Amino acid sequence: MKVLVIGLGGVTNGGKTTLAEKLKNMLPNCDIISQDDFFKPESEVETDERGFKLYDVLDALYMDEMVASIRNRMKSPASSGVVTEEPQKACDNLKNVYILIVEGFLLYNYEPLNKLWNRRYFLTLPYEECKRRRSTRVYQPADTPGYFDGHVWPMYLKYKNELEENASMQVDYLDGTKSQEELLSYVYSDIMKELNKLRE
């Protein structure tokens, strides 16, 4: 069985999870791995001199476990339970392909992961919109005053700049202010092109 690994990365509150779920509903044999499932417990996350918990860095995540989890799914897609014996009729020609969508805020800055992607997407948002969306979400632990400006946004810019400076990395940047329908339509048709290439 062929495997297509799709990265859906980018800014906090950029719409990654929503887009991943919608794609999963439209694509055959599709499953999602979420980077948020690999956060270390709060007690293991470093605190800086301002008292900010440093969640928006690679060290706050069990990245090796995440890589292992992706590799396991690539090796045995059937064990994920989404690979059905009876694919939808429209997708008969895709029944030999397993699609794994990996979504998270720090996907492309960790070298062992970069060998795995077939396609990389990166959702962006302007500062004001990102801050507005972030303020409507409830986190555990909760964002402390100044956390967005003091840690979250600077780390996003740092990792995004690293990405843009890496000329060998092919990333498709997506405007997170566009409607969900528009983003879904674009990414879906792009993945379908990739699937057709696999079949050739």
PDB file of all heavy atoms in Angstrom, residues 28-61:
ATOM      1  N   PRO A  28     -10.355   9.222   1.100  1.00  0.00           N
ATOM      2  CA  PRO A  28     -10.437   7.804   1.492  1.00  0.00           C
ATOM      3  C   PRO A  28      -9.211   7.411   2.315  1.00  0.00           C
ATOM      4  O   PRO A  28      -8.146   8.010   2.155  1.00  0.00           O
ATOM      5  CB  PRO A  28     -10.430   7.083   0.143  1.00  0.00           C
ATOM      6  CG  PRO A  28      -9.631   7.990  -0.748  1.00  0.00           C
ATOM      7  CD  PRO A  28      -9.947   9.391  -0.306  1.00  0.00           C
ATOM      8  N   ASN A  29      -9.359   6.404   3.169  1.00  0.00           N
ATOM      9  CA  ASN A  29      -8.224   5.855   3.916  1.00  0.00           C
ATOM     10  C   ASN A  29      -7.352   6.952   4.526  1.00  0.00           C
ATOM     11  O   ASN A  29      -6.129   6.944   4.368  1.00  0.00           O
ATOM     12  CB  ASN A  29      -7.353   4.974   3.013  1.00  0.00           C
ATOM     13  CG  ASN A  29      -8.109   3.775   2.510  1.00  0.00           C
ATOM     14  OD1 ASN A  29      -9.116   3.363   3.089  1.00  0.00           O
ATOM     15  ND2 ASN A  29      -7.656   3.202   1.413  1.00  0.00           N
ATOM     16  N   CYS A  30      -7.990   7.896   5.188  1.00  0.00           N
ATOM     17  CA  CYS A  30      -7.259   9.046   5.707  1.00  0.00           C
ATOM     18  C   CYS A  30      -7.311   9.075   7.222  1.00  0.00           C
ATOM     19  O   CYS A  30      -8.346   8.813   7.824  1.00  0.00           O
ATOM     20  CB  CYS A  30      -7.861  10.322   5.119  1.00  0.00           C
ATOM     21  SG  CYS A  30      -7.017  11.814   5.673  1.00  0.00           S
ATOM     22  N   ASP A  31      -6.187   9.402   7.835  1.00  0.00           N
ATOM     23  CA  ASP A  31      -6.101   9.475   9.284  1.00  0.00           C
ATOM     24  C   ASP A  31      -5.291  10.713   9.669  1.00  0.00           C
ATOM     25  O   ASP A  31      -4.555  11.265   8.851  1.00  0.00           O
ATOM     26  CB  ASP A  31      -5.429   8.200   9.820  1.00  0.00           C
ATOM     27  CG  ASP A  31      -5.833   7.893  11.238  1.00  0.00           C
ATOM     28  OD1 ASP A  31      -6.711   8.608  11.786  1.00  0.00           O
ATOM     29  OD2 ASP A  31      -5.279   6.948  11.825  1.00  0.00           O
ATOM     30  N   ILE A  32      -5.427  11.116  10.943  1.00  0.00           N
ATOM     31  CA  ILE A  32      -4.758  12.334  11.419  1.00  0.00           C
ATOM     32  C   ILE A  32      -3.902  12.008  12.641  1.00  0.00           C
ATOM     33  O   ILE A  32      -4.317  11.279  13.530  1.00  0.00           O
ATOM     34  CB  ILE A  32      -5.792  13.405  11.828  1.00  0.00           C
ATOM     35  CG1 ILE A  32      -6.670  13.804  10.640  1.00  0.00           C
ATOM     36  CG2 ILE A  32      -5.094  14.650  12.405  1.00  0.00           C
ATOM     37  CD1 ILE A  32      -7.860  14.683  11.030  1.00  0.00           C
ATOM     38  N   ILE A  33      -2.708  12.581  12.672  1.00  0.00           N
ATOM     39  CA  ILE A  33      -1.900  12.600  13.891  1.00  0.00           C
ATOM     40  C   ILE A  33      -1.759  14.069  14.279  1.00  0.00           C
ATOM     41  O   ILE A  33      -1.415  14.905  13.443  1.00  0.00           O
ATOM     42  CB  ILE A  33      -0.505  11.964  13.669  1.00  0.00           C
ATOM     43  CG1 ILE A  33      -0.639  10.438  13.561  1.00  0.00           C
ATOM     44  CG2 ILE A  33       0.451  12.338  14.799  1.00  0.00           C
ATOM     45  CD1 ILE A  33       0.663   9.697  13.364  1.00  0.00           C
ATOM     46  N   SER A  34      -2.033  14.374  15.542  1.00  0.00           N
ATOM     47  CA  SER A  34      -1.962  15.760  16.007  1.00  0.00           C
ATOM     48  C   SER A  34      -0.752  15.952  16.911  1.00  0.00           C
ATOM     49  O   SER A  34      -0.545  15.193  17.856  1.00  0.00           O
ATOM     50  CB  SER A  34      -3.236  16.110  16.775  1.00  0.00           C
ATOM     51  OG  SER A  34      -3.114  17.406  17.317  1.00  0.00           O
ATOM     52  N   GLN A  35       0.039  16.980  16.605  1.00  0.00           N
ATOM     53  CA  GLN A  35       1.236  17.248  17.397  1.00  0.00           C
ATOM     54  C   GLN A  35       0.883  17.581  18.856  1.00  0.00           C
ATOM     55  O   GLN A  35       1.666  17.293  19.765  1.00  0.00           O
ATOM     56  CB  GLN A  35       2.011  18.418  16.769  1.00  0.00           C
ATOM     57  CG  GLN A  35       3.385  18.629  17.378  1.00  0.00           C
ATOM     58  CD  GLN A  35       4.210  19.628  16.605  1.00  0.00           C
ATOM     59  OE1 GLN A  35       3.695  20.605  16.078  1.00  0.00           O
ATOM     60  NE2 GLN A  35       5.500  19.385  16.526  1.00  0.00           N
ATOM     61  N   ASP A  36      -0.289  18.148  19.068  1.00  0.00           N
ATOM     62  CA  ASP A  36      -0.697  18.500  20.438  1.00  0.00           C
ATOM     63  C   ASP A  36      -0.730  17.283  21.363  1.00  0.00           C
ATOM     64  O   ASP A  36      -0.644  17.423  22.587  1.00  0.00           O
ATOM     65  CB  ASP A  36      -2.083  19.166  20.441  1.00  0.00           C
ATOM     66  CG  ASP A  36      -2.020  20.614  19.945  1.00  0.00           C
ATOM     67  OD1 ASP A  36      -0.910  21.107  19.660  1.00  0.00           O
ATOM     68  OD2 ASP A  36      -3.084  21.245  19.845  1.00  0.00           O
ATOM     69  N   ASP A  37      -0.863  16.090  20.795  1.00  0.00           N
ATOM     70  CA  ASP A  37      -0.889  14.871  21.608  1.00  0.00           C
ATOM     71  C   ASP A  37       0.491  14.491  22.147  1.00  0.00           C
ATOM     72  O   ASP A  37       0.617  13.530  22.910  1.00  0.00           O
ATOM     73  CB  ASP A  37      -1.454  13.692  20.800  1.00  0.00           C
ATOM     74  CG  ASP A  37      -2.916  13.911  20.435  1.00  0.00           C
ATOM     75  OD1 ASP A  37      -3.604  14.696  21.131  1.00  0.00           O
ATOM     76  OD2 ASP A  37      -3.371  13.300  19.442  1.00  0.00           O
ATOM     77  N   PHE A  38       1.522  15.235  21.739  1.00  0.00           N
ATOM     78  CA  PHE A  38       2.890  14.880  22.132  1.00  0.00           C
ATOM     79  C   PHE A  38       3.525  15.914  23.054  1.00  0.00           C
ATOM     80  O   PHE A  38       4.739  15.896  23.257  1.00  0.00           O
ATOM     81  CB  PHE A  38       3.754  14.640  20.883  1.00  0.00           C
ATOM     82  CG  PHE A  38       3.269  13.476  20.071  1.00  0.00           C
ATOM     83  CD1 PHE A  38       2.341  13.662  19.056  1.00  0.00           C
ATOM     84  CD2 PHE A  38       3.701  12.187  20.356  1.00  0.00           C
ATOM     85  CE1 PHE A  38       1.861  12.586  18.326  1.00  0.00           C
ATOM     86  CE2 PHE A  38       3.224  11.104  19.632  1.00  0.00           C
ATOM     87  CZ  PHE A  38       2.303  11.305  18.611  1.00  0.00           C
ATOM     88  N   PHE A  39       2.703  16.802  23.619  1.00  0.00           N
ATOM     89  CA  PHE A  39       3.239  17.754  24.591  1.00  0.00           C
ATOM     90  C   PHE A  39       3.693  17.017  25.844  1.00  0.00           C
ATOM     91  O   PHE A  39       3.045  16.078  26.302  1.00  0.00           O
ATOM     92  CB  PHE A  39       2.179  18.796  24.988  1.00  0.00           C
ATOM     93  CG  PHE A  39       2.172  20.017  24.119  1.00  0.00           C
ATOM     94  CD1 PHE A  39       1.086  20.290  23.303  1.00  0.00           C
ATOM     95  CD2 PHE A  39       3.256  20.891  24.114  1.00  0.00           C
ATOM     96  CE1 PHE A  39       1.078  21.411  22.488  1.00  0.00           C
ATOM     97  CE2 PHE A  39       3.253  22.015  23.315  1.00  0.00           C
ATOM     98  CZ  PHE A  39       2.163  22.279  22.493  1.00  0.00           C
ATOM     99  N   LYS A  40       4.810  17.473  26.408  1.00  0.00           N
ATOM    100  CA  LYS A  40       5.258  16.946  27.695  1.00  0.00           C
ATOM    101  C   LYS A  40       4.313  17.463  28.786  1.00  0.00           C
ATOM    102  O   LYS A  40       3.670  18.500  28.601  1.00  0.00           O
ATOM    103  CB  LYS A  40       6.689  17.426  27.975  1.00  0.00           C
ATOM    104  CG  LYS A  40       7.713  16.837  27.023  1.00  0.00           C
ATOM    105  CD  LYS A  40       9.100  17.411  27.273  1.00  0.00           C
ATOM    106  CE  LYS A  40      10.116  16.792  26.312  1.00  0.00           C
ATOM    107  NZ  LYS A  40      11.447  17.420  26.430  1.00  0.00           N
ATOM    108  N   PRO A  41       4.249  16.757  29.936  1.00  0.00           N
ATOM    109  CA  PRO A  41       3.421  17.279  31.027  1.00  0.00           C
ATOM    110  C   PRO A  41       3.980  18.626  31.508  1.00  0.00           C
ATOM    111  O   PRO A  41       5.185  18.891  31.363  1.00  0.00           O
ATOM    112  CB  PRO A  41       3.534  16.209  32.113  1.00  0.00           C
ATOM    113  CG  PRO A  41       4.680  15.350  31.740  1.00  0.00           C
ATOM    114  CD  PRO A  41       4.899  15.489  30.268  1.00  0.00           C
ATOM    115  N   GLU A  42       3.112  19.422  32.100  1.00  0.00           N
ATOM    116  CA  GLU A  42       3.486  20.786  32.516  1.00  0.00           C
ATOM    117  C   GLU A  42       4.748  20.803  33.370  1.00  0.00           C
ATOM    118  O   GLU A  42       5.598  21.690  33.231  1.00  0.00           O
ATOM    119  CB  GLU A  42       2.308  21.405  33.285  1.00  0.00           C
ATOM    120  CG  GLU A  42       2.460  22.883  33.522  1.00  0.00           C
ATOM    121  CD  GLU A  42       1.300  23.487  34.309  1.00  0.00           C
ATOM    122  OE1 GLU A  42       0.258  22.819  34.468  1.00  0.00           O
ATOM    123  OE2 GLU A  42       1.459  24.615  34.769  1.00  0.00           O
ATOM    124  N   SER A  43       4.906  19.798  34.229  1.00  0.00           N
ATOM    125  CA  SER A  43       6.066  19.750  35.140  1.00  0.00           C
ATOM    126  C   SER A  43       7.398  19.609  34.394  1.00  0.00           C
ATOM    127  O   SER A  43       8.453  19.936  34.930  1.00  0.00           O
ATOM    128  CB  SER A  43       5.910  18.591  36.118  1.00  0.00           C
ATOM    129  OG  SER A  43       5.821  17.368  35.402  1.00  0.00           O
ATOM    130  N   GLU A  44       7.336  19.128  33.141  1.00  0.00           N
ATOM    131  CA  GLU A  44       8.575  18.933  32.362  1.00  0.00           C
ATOM    132  C   GLU A  44       8.844  20.065  31.377  1.00  0.00           C
ATOM    133  O   GLU A  44       9.841  20.037  30.660  1.00  0.00           O
ATOM    134  CB  GLU A  44       8.499  17.603  31.585  1.00  0.00           C
ATOM    135  CG  GLU A  44       8.648  16.392  32.459  1.00  0.00           C
ATOM    136  CD  GLU A  44       8.581  15.103  31.656  1.00  0.00           C
ATOM    137  OE1 GLU A  44       9.143  15.051  30.541  1.00  0.00           O
ATOM    138  OE2 GLU A  44       7.940  14.152  32.144  1.00  0.00           O
ATOM    139  N   VAL A  45       7.931  21.045  31.333  1.00  0.00           N
ATOM    140  CA  VAL A  45       8.103  22.155  30.390  1.00  0.00           C
ATOM    141  C   VAL A  45       8.846  23.290  31.103  1.00  0.00           C
ATOM    142  O   VAL A  45       8.481  23.681  32.213  1.00  0.00           O
ATOM    143  CB  VAL A  45       6.735  22.644  29.857  1.00  0.00           C
ATOM    144  CG1 VAL A  45       6.904  23.869  28.964  1.00  0.00           C
ATOM    145  CG2 VAL A  45       6.042  21.521  29.090  1.00  0.00           C
ATOM    146  N   GLU A  46       9.901  23.794  30.463  1.00  0.00           N
ATOM    147  CA  GLU A  46      10.723  24.835  31.083  1.00  0.00           C
ATOM    148  C   GLU A  46       9.941  26.127  31.302  1.00  0.00           C
ATOM    149  O   GLU A  46       9.031  26.456  30.547  1.00  0.00           O
ATOM    150  CB  GLU A  46      11.931  25.136  30.195  1.00  0.00           C
ATOM    151  CG  GLU A  46      13.064  24.144  30.373  1.00  0.00           C
ATOM    152  CD  GLU A  46      14.300  24.588  29.605  1.00  0.00           C
ATOM    153  OE1 GLU A  46      14.717  25.757  29.762  1.00  0.00           O
ATOM    154  OE2 GLU A  46      14.824  23.753  28.847  1.00  0.00           O
ATOM    155  N   THR A  47      10.365  26.859  32.330  1.00  0.00           N
ATOM    156  CA  THR A  47       9.801  28.180  32.632  1.00  0.00           C
ATOM    157  C   THR A  47      10.932  29.201  32.490  1.00  0.00           C
ATOM    158  O   THR A  47      12.041  28.961  32.962  1.00  0.00           O
ATOM    159  CB  THR A  47       9.263  28.221  34.080  1.00  0.00           C
ATOM    160  OG1 THR A  47       8.340  27.147  34.243  1.00  0.00           O
ATOM    161  CG2 THR A  47       8.558  29.525  34.379  1.00  0.00           C
ATOM    162  N   ASP A  48      10.651  30.326  31.821  1.00  0.00           N
ATOM    163  CA  ASP A  48      11.707  31.335  31.669  1.00  0.00           C
ATOM    164  C   ASP A  48      11.691  32.311  32.855  1.00  0.00           C
ATOM    165  O   ASP A  48      10.891  32.178  33.785  1.00  0.00           O
ATOM    166  CB  ASP A  48      11.611  32.053  30.316  1.00  0.00           C
ATOM    167  CG  ASP A  48      10.443  33.026  30.224  1.00  0.00           C
ATOM    168  OD1 ASP A  48       9.721  33.212  31.224  1.00  0.00           O
ATOM    169  OD2 ASP A  48      10.252  33.614  29.140  1.00  0.00           O
ATOM    170  N   GLU A  49      12.592  33.304  32.790  1.00  0.00           N
ATOM    171  CA  GLU A  49      12.747  34.233  33.928  1.00  0.00           C
ATOM    172  C   GLU A  49      11.503  35.099  34.157  1.00  0.00           C
ATOM    173  O   GLU A  49      11.302  35.646  35.227  1.00  0.00           O
ATOM    174  CB  GLU A  49      13.997  35.114  33.753  1.00  0.00           C
ATOM    175  CG  GLU A  49      13.956  36.107  32.586  1.00  0.00           C
ATOM    176  CD  GLU A  49      14.188  35.453  31.210  1.00  0.00           C
ATOM    177  OE1 GLU A  49      14.513  34.249  31.168  1.00  0.00           O
ATOM    178  OE2 GLU A  49      14.025  36.170  30.205  1.00  0.00           O
ATOM    179  N   ARG A  50      10.620  35.184  33.162  1.00  0.00           N
ATOM    180  CA  ARG A  50       9.384  35.959  33.327  1.00  0.00           C
ATOM    181  C   ARG A  50       8.255  35.103  33.895  1.00  0.00           C
ATOM    182  O   ARG A  50       7.142  35.578  34.109  1.00  0.00           O
ATOM    183  CB  ARG A  50       8.930  36.545  31.977  1.00  0.00           C
ATOM    184  CG  ARG A  50       9.913  37.521  31.366  1.00  0.00           C
ATOM    185  CD  ARG A  50       9.646  37.717  29.894  1.00  0.00           C
ATOM    186  NE  ARG A  50       9.767  36.465  29.145  1.00  0.00           N
ATOM    187  CZ  ARG A  50       9.606  36.366  27.836  1.00  0.00           C
ATOM    188  NH1 ARG A  50       9.283  37.435  27.119  1.00  0.00           N
ATOM    189  NH2 ARG A  50       9.729  35.197  27.234  1.00  0.00           N
ATOM    190  N   GLY A  51       8.535  33.831  34.071  1.00  0.00           N
ATOM    191  CA  GLY A  51       7.504  32.936  34.592  1.00  0.00           C
ATOM    192  C   GLY A  51       6.660  32.299  33.497  1.00  0.00           C
ATOM    193  O   GLY A  51       5.669  31.628  33.776  1.00  0.00           O
ATOM    194  N   PHE A  52       7.067  32.515  32.213  1.00  0.00           N
ATOM    195  CA  PHE A  52       6.312  31.925  31.099  1.00  0.00           C
ATOM    196  C   PHE A  52       6.711  30.463  30.906  1.00  0.00           C
ATOM    197  O   PHE A  52       7.902  30.141  30.850  1.00  0.00           O
ATOM    198  CB  PHE A  52       6.580  32.677  29.787  1.00  0.00           C
ATOM    199  CG  PHE A  52       6.015  34.069  29.737  1.00  0.00           C
ATOM    200  CD1 PHE A  52       6.602  35.042  28.931  1.00  0.00           C
ATOM    201  CD2 PHE A  52       4.887  34.418  30.472  1.00  0.00           C
ATOM    202  CE1 PHE A  52       6.077  36.328  28.867  1.00  0.00           C
ATOM    203  CE2 PHE A  52       4.359  35.698  30.407  1.00  0.00           C
ATOM    204  CZ  PHE A  52       4.954  36.659  29.607  1.00  0.00           C
ATOM    205  N   LYS A  53       5.727  29.589  30.813  1.00  0.00           N
ATOM    206  CA  LYS A  53       5.965  28.192  30.443  1.00  0.00           C
ATOM    207  C   LYS A  53       6.283  28.168  28.944  1.00  0.00           C
ATOM    208  O   LYS A  53       5.493  28.666  28.135  1.00  0.00           O
ATOM    209  CB  LYS A  53       4.721  27.346  30.712  1.00  0.00           C
ATOM    210  CG  LYS A  53       4.570  26.959  32.170  1.00  0.00           C
ATOM    211  CD  LYS A  53       5.426  25.741  32.482  1.00  0.00           C
ATOM    212  CE  LYS A  53       5.346  25.331  33.936  1.00  0.00           C
ATOM    213  NZ  LYS A  53       6.370  24.338  34.259  1.00  0.00           N
ATOM    214  N   LEU A  54       7.415  27.575  28.584  1.00  0.00           N
ATOM    215  CA  LEU A  54       7.870  27.621  27.188  1.00  0.00           C
ATOM    216  C   LEU A  54       7.296  26.455  26.382  1.00  0.00           C
ATOM    217  O   LEU A  54       7.996  25.487  26.068  1.00  0.00           O
ATOM    218  CB  LEU A  54       9.397  27.650  27.142  1.00  0.00           C
ATOM    219  CG  LEU A  54      10.035  28.805  27.946  1.00  0.00           C
ATOM    220  CD1 LEU A  54      11.539  28.780  27.834  1.00  0.00           C
ATOM    221  CD2 LEU A  54       9.485  30.157  27.498  1.00  0.00           C
ATOM    222  N   TYR A  55       6.020  26.592  26.030  1.00  0.00           N
ATOM    223  CA  TYR A  55       5.331  25.526  25.290  1.00  0.00           C
ATOM    224  C   TYR A  55       5.586  25.589  23.782  1.00  0.00           C
ATOM    225  O   TYR A  55       5.438  24.585  23.100  1.00  0.00           O
ATOM    226  CB  TYR A  55       3.812  25.604  25.526  1.00  0.00           C
ATOM    227  CG  TYR A  55       3.363  24.884  26.769  1.00  0.00           C
ATOM    228  CD1 TYR A  55       3.027  25.583  27.916  1.00  0.00           C
ATOM    229  CD2 TYR A  55       3.283  23.494  26.796  1.00  0.00           C
ATOM    230  CE1 TYR A  55       2.615  24.915  29.068  1.00  0.00           C
ATOM    231  CE2 TYR A  55       2.871  22.819  27.945  1.00  0.00           C
ATOM    232  CZ  TYR A  55       2.549  23.533  29.070  1.00  0.00           C
ATOM    233  OH  TYR A  55       2.149  22.877  30.199  1.00  0.00           O
ATOM    234  N   ASP A  56       5.935  26.751  23.254  1.00  0.00           N
ATOM    235  CA  ASP A  56       5.996  26.909  21.802  1.00  0.00           C
ATOM    236  C   ASP A  56       7.384  26.643  21.232  1.00  0.00           C
ATOM    237  O   ASP A  56       7.825  27.305  20.307  1.00  0.00           O
ATOM    238  CB  ASP A  56       5.485  28.301  21.406  1.00  0.00           C
ATOM    239  CG  ASP A  56       3.973  28.414  21.584  1.00  0.00           C
ATOM    240  OD1 ASP A  56       3.477  28.126  22.684  1.00  0.00           O
ATOM    241  OD2 ASP A  56       3.286  28.750  20.632  1.00  0.00           O
ATOM    242  N   VAL A  57       8.069  25.661  21.819  1.00  0.00           N
ATOM    243  CA  VAL A  57       9.401  25.266  21.350  1.00  0.00           C
ATOM    244  C   VAL A  57       9.436  23.735  21.226  1.00  0.00           C
ATOM    245  O   VAL A  57       8.635  23.030  21.840  1.00  0.00           O
ATOM    246  CB  VAL A  57      10.508  25.742  22.328  1.00  0.00           C
ATOM    247  CG1 VAL A  57      10.555  27.264  22.393  1.00  0.00           C
ATOM    248  CG2 VAL A  57      10.304  25.171  23.726  1.00  0.00           C
ATOM    249  N   LEU A  58      10.390  23.245  20.452  1.00  0.00           N
ATOM    250  CA  LEU A  58      10.487  21.799  20.230  1.00  0.00           C
ATOM    251  C   LEU A  58      10.734  21.023  21.525  1.00  0.00           C
ATOM    252  O   LEU A  58      10.268  19.898  21.679  1.00  0.00           O
ATOM    253  CB  LEU A  58      11.600  21.501  19.220  1.00  0.00           C
ATOM    254  CG  LEU A  58      11.271  21.846  17.759  1.00  0.00           C
ATOM    255  CD1 LEU A  58      12.531  21.828  16.909  1.00  0.00           C
ATOM    256  CD2 LEU A  58      10.226  20.902  17.187  1.00  0.00           C
ATOM    257  N   ASP A  59      11.455  21.634  22.468  1.00  0.00           N
ATOM    258  CA  ASP A  59      11.773  20.944  23.722  1.00  0.00           C
ATOM    259  C   ASP A  59      10.544  20.662  24.583  1.00  0.00           C
ATOM    260  O   ASP A  59      10.616  19.881  25.534  1.00  0.00           O
ATOM    261  CB  ASP A  59      12.772  21.767  24.552  1.00  0.00           C
ATOM    262  CG  ASP A  59      14.191  21.626  24.025  1.00  0.00           C
ATOM    263  OD1 ASP A  59      14.429  20.717  23.200  1.00  0.00           O
ATOM    264  OD2 ASP A  59      15.057  22.425  24.419  1.00  0.00           O
ATOM    265  N   ALA A  60       9.414  21.306  24.279  1.00  0.00           N
ATOM    266  CA  ALA A  60       8.189  21.080  25.059  1.00  0.00           C
ATOM    267  C   ALA A  60       7.428  19.846  24.561  1.00  0.00           C
ATOM    268  O   ALA A  60       6.379  19.509  25.094  1.00  0.00           O
ATOM    269  CB  ALA A  60       7.288  22.312  24.988  1.00  0.00           C
ATOM    270  N   LEU A  61       7.976  19.212  23.526  1.00  0.00           N
ATOM    271  CA  LEU A  61       7.278  18.093  22.877  1.00  0.00           C
ATOM    272  C   LEU A  61       8.129  16.830  22.864  1.00  0.00           C
ATOM    273  O   LEU A  61       9.351  16.905  22.789  1.00  0.00           O
ATOM    274  CB  LEU A  61       6.946  18.474  21.428  1.00  0.00           C
ATOM    275  CG  LEU A  61       5.996  19.650  21.245  1.00  0.00           C
ATOM    276  CD1 LEU A  61       6.368  20.452  20.019  1.00  0.00           C
ATOM    277  CD2 LEU A  61       4.553  19.166  21.143  1.00  0.00           C
TER     278      LEU A  61
END
